[in-house]
Amino acid sequence: MNTPMPSVATTDPATLSLREALAFLDDRIAGRVLISGDPGWDDARSAWNLAVDQRPTAIVVATTADDVVHTVRAAAELGLAVAPQATGHNAGPLAADDGLAGAILLRTHEMRGVEIDAESRIARVEAGAQWGDVVAAVAPLGLTALAGTAHDVGVVGYTLGGGVSWLARSHGLAANHVVAIEVVTADGAARRVDAEHEPELFWALRGGGGDLGVVTALEFGLFDVPALSAGMLLWPIERTAEVFTAWSEWIDGIPTSVTSVARVLRLPPMPELPPFLSGRSLVVIEVAMQEDPAKVDELLAPLRALVPEVDTVHPQASAELLQLHMDPPQPVPGFGDGMLLAELTPAAIRAFVDAVGPDASSALLSAEVRHLGGMMDPGVARAAASVQGTPQPGVTAGFDAGFLLFGVGIAMPDNGEALAASLGRLLSAVEPWSAGSDYLNFAEHARPAERFFGDDLERLRAVKQAVDPTGVMRSNHPIG
C-alpha cells in the first residue's frame, strides 16, 4: 500500500479509519495488503477465469498461516468479510452481483509448499499449492495423487469441493482421502482438525466448500498405481451420435479401473495445437485405465472398432494425466456451467447431439459428459471406508448420479449472447435427465445450497453457525 504505516506500538486498530487499519495490517504481516490504485492491484484481483471481475474492498496476499490469522482477526474488527482464494477457479458466483463488496479477498496463491511422507504415503500441501506442484513432488517417488485435470488447479479449493480425478471411479473423491486439515476460523483461531479432533468441522470441510474458514494446509493420502494407460480416441464431429451411443453402451459394466469422458470439441485455429486438433470440430473419448496393456486392448476393442481417426491411448506414468483433458495452460476468459445427470439414455444422447452436435450452431468450445459411479457412489464410498478402517467421508461423499456434464466456451467481446444461448440450449436439452443435485466445483453460477448438500444441509449449517455465527467467511457457494 502507498499509505504511511501507523506505529504498531502506539496505534489501537479499533480507532483507525479503514485505510489506516489496512495499512496497520500490512505492517504486521509477511505478505502484503493492496487497495484499489496500488501497484499490482489488478493482477491480484484477477480470477483464473479472466471474464470474472472481482472488486473487493481490499486484497491480502498471504505468504504464511500467521498472515491468514492476522487478516481474519483484522477483518472481524473492521466489520469486513473474508473471501479466501488461491487460483481463483470457480470465482464467478463469488464476484457476481458485487459479491465481494465489504470483503477482503484473501489470496493464498503464494503459499505453495508441498511436503511428502513417502513411507506413510501422505502429502501435506499449503493453501496455494497447485496440482502441478504435487505431481512433481510425488512422481519421482512412484506415487499418485487424486489430482484434477490441469496442472494449475488449486489443490485446496478442488478438494474442499469434492475433487473428481481420473482415478475417481476406483478411488472416490479426493475429499474422502483427506486425513487432516489446518484451518483458520472466523474467530481468528488456527485449528488442526481430523477424525478425532473437532470431527464435525472435519466432516463439514470435506466437500462443504470454502464457507467455513480459511484452510491453510491439507494432508491427504497418496496411492500406488502399478499399471496405467490413458489417452484419447478422436473422430470428426459428424460421428457424434454414433460415438456417444457406442460409448454409453461400452461403459455399461466397464470395471471401476476405467474412468472416461465423452466430449464434443469445436477448436479455433491455434498454432499451439497440433494439426489434427487446430481449427477442427471433433467428438472425443478420453480414457484413463488402470490395467495392463493386454487388458486395455481387450477393453478398448469395441471403441476401436469405430476406427478412430486418432488413437493416443498408451501406457504412461500418472503424471501425464495432467495433459489428457487438454485444459488451457493459462488463465482464459470463459463462460460455462455444469449439471449432474441421473442417466444417459438414448433420448438424452439425442438431446445432447441436437444441442452441440454437427448440425447445431453452438458457440461452445467443449461439451463433455463424464462417467461417474463406482467409488463415486456415496453409499459405496461409505461402505469402503468402514471396511478399510479409514475416516468416514465428509458431507460430499460422492454423487447420486451417473454422469457429470459440463459445457464451456471462450468469452470474447463479440460472442457473449451466442455463448449464453448455446449453454442455455445444452442445459435445457438435458434437463429432463438431471439428477436433481449439483457438484460444487462444476457450478459456475449461483445455486441454492440444497442443490449441493440435500438432506445434510441443516447439519452443515449448524457447523457454520458454530464456527462463523456472524458470517465473516464469504465463499463462491455459501452454505446459508
Side-chain angles (χ1 to χ4, degrees):
M1 290 180 64
N2 298 322
T3 305
M5 302 299 179
S7 166
V8 175
T10 60
T11 306
D12 177 3
T15 68
L16 300 176
S17 69
L18 176 60
R19 188 178 182 90
E20 290 171 332
L22 292 171
F24 180 76
L25 174 62
D26 190 50
D27 195 36
R28 298 190 69 191
I29 64 174
R32 55 198 182 276
V33 179
L34 301 171
I35 60 174
S36 181
D38 282 346
W41 167 260
D42 284 331
D43 285 343
R45 71 184 184 90
S46 291
W48 191 92
N49 180 352
L50 298 179
V52 174
D53 186 17
Q54 301 194 117
R55 295 188 175 275
T57 295
I59 299 170
V60 171
V61 179
T63 60
T64 68
D66 282 344
D67 287 357
V68 173
V69 169
H70 288 307
T71 300
V72 171
R73 290 175 178 173
E77 290 174 356
L78 295 168
L80 298 175
V82 175
Q85 187 176 89
T87 62
H89 283 77
N90 200 248
L94 175 65
D97 301 321
D98 205 18
L100 282 167
I104 295 175
L105 182 63
L106 178 50
R107 299 301 303 264
T108 59
H109 59 280
E110 294 188 7
M111 298 171 60
R112 291 178 65 169
V114 175
E115 302 171 11
I116 307 299
D117 184 333
E119 184 175 349
S120 63
R121 296 193 301 183
I122 296 293
R124 179 186 180 276
V125 306
E126 292 186 338
Q130 300 177 10
W131 279 118
D133 303 327
V134 177
V135 169
V138 303
L141 303 173
L143 296 173
T144 296
L146 301 183
T149 58
H151 71 97
D152 60 354
V153 170
V155 177
V156 168
Y158 163 94
T159 306
L160 295 183
V164 176
S165 75
W166 280 113
L167 309 181
R169 279 179 37 82
S170 59
H171 290 73
L173 300 185
N176 294 350
H177 299 281
V178 172
V179 297
I181 302 172
E182 296 169 32
V183 58
V184 177
T185 44
D187 57 359
R191 313 179 188 213
R192 177 184 167 85
V193 302
D194 56 29
E196 285 76 41
H197 304 90
E198 302 195 63
E200 198 70 357
L201 180 55
F202 185 57
W203 170 83
L205 285 166
R206 290 174 297 141
D211 209 37
L212 296 159
V214 186
V215 171
T216 57
L218 283 180
E219 294 181 17
F220 53 85
L222 304 168
F223 301 93
D224 292 318
V225 178
L228 175 68
S229 289
M232 67 178 179
L233 310 172
L234 177 155
W235 299 263
I237 194 173
E238 288 74 19
R239 299 185 66 183
T240 298
E242 176 190 9
V243 169
F244 262 73
T245 298
W247 176 69
S248 70
E249 295 170 352
W250 178 73
I251 59 177
D252 186 19
I254 204 79
T256 59
S257 57
V258 178
T259 298
S260 61
V261 176
R263 65 195 305 208
V264 171
L265 294 172
R266 284 178 165 83
L267 297 166
M270 298 174 65
E272 56 266 37
L273 290 175
F276 67 86
L277 293 175
S278 182
R280 300 194 61 198
S281 296
L282 305 160
V283 57
V284 177
I285 295 175
E286 299 164 349
V287 296
M289 311 176 73
Q290 298 166 75
E291 302 284 357
D292 62 56
K295 184 65 172 179
V296 167
D297 289 341
E298 176 188 334
L299 289 170
L300 279 181
L303 296 180
R304 285 174 167 162
L306 299 177
V307 191
E309 179 184 312
V310 173
D311 179 349
T312 69
V313 180
H314 66 283
Q316 59 184 254
S318 57
E320 288 189 54
L321 292 175
L322 290 178
Q323 284 76 49
L324 174 56
H325 201 52
M326 300 180 291
D327 288 339
Q330 65 278 319
V332 294
F335 184 83
D337 216 343
M339 179 186 292
L340 286 168
L341 303 178
E343 54 185 348
L344 192 66
T345 65
I349 292 173
R350 287 194 297 272
F352 178 90
V353 173
D354 287 346
V356 298
D359 299 323
S361 58
S362 176
L364 297 176
L365 174 74
S366 172
E368 68 178 60
V369 180
R370 300 188 182 205
H371 184 209
L372 303 178
M375 286 289 290
M376 283 184 283
D377 180 297
V380 173
R382 293 188 182 102
S386 296
V387 170
Q388 296 163 4
T390 56
Q392 278 291 311
V395 60
T396 303
F399 310 112
D400 290 314
F403 300 89
L404 176 57
L405 175 141
F406 191 75
V408 67
I410 302 299
M412 305 299 288
D414 60 350
N415 74 343
E417 291 185 4
L419 258 184
S422 297
L423 182 62
R425 282 195 299 271
L426 172 59
L427 297 178
S428 296
V430 299
E431 175 64 32
W433 298 275
S434 168
S437 57
D438 286 301
Y439 171 39
L440 210 66
N441 291 353
F442 273 28
E444 293 285 344
H445 296 84
R447 306 279 206 283
E450 290 82 359
R451 296 280 301 185
F452 302 119
F453 306 115
D455 294 341
D456 285 320
L457 181 57
E458 289 311 309
R459 179 182 173 189
L460 189 61
R461 283 177 170 164
V463 179
K464 171 73 171 177
Q465 178 65 24
V467 298
D468 186 16
T470 60
V472 172
M473 296 297 161
R474 192 174 296 179
S475 71
N476 52 348
H477 294 296
I479 291 168

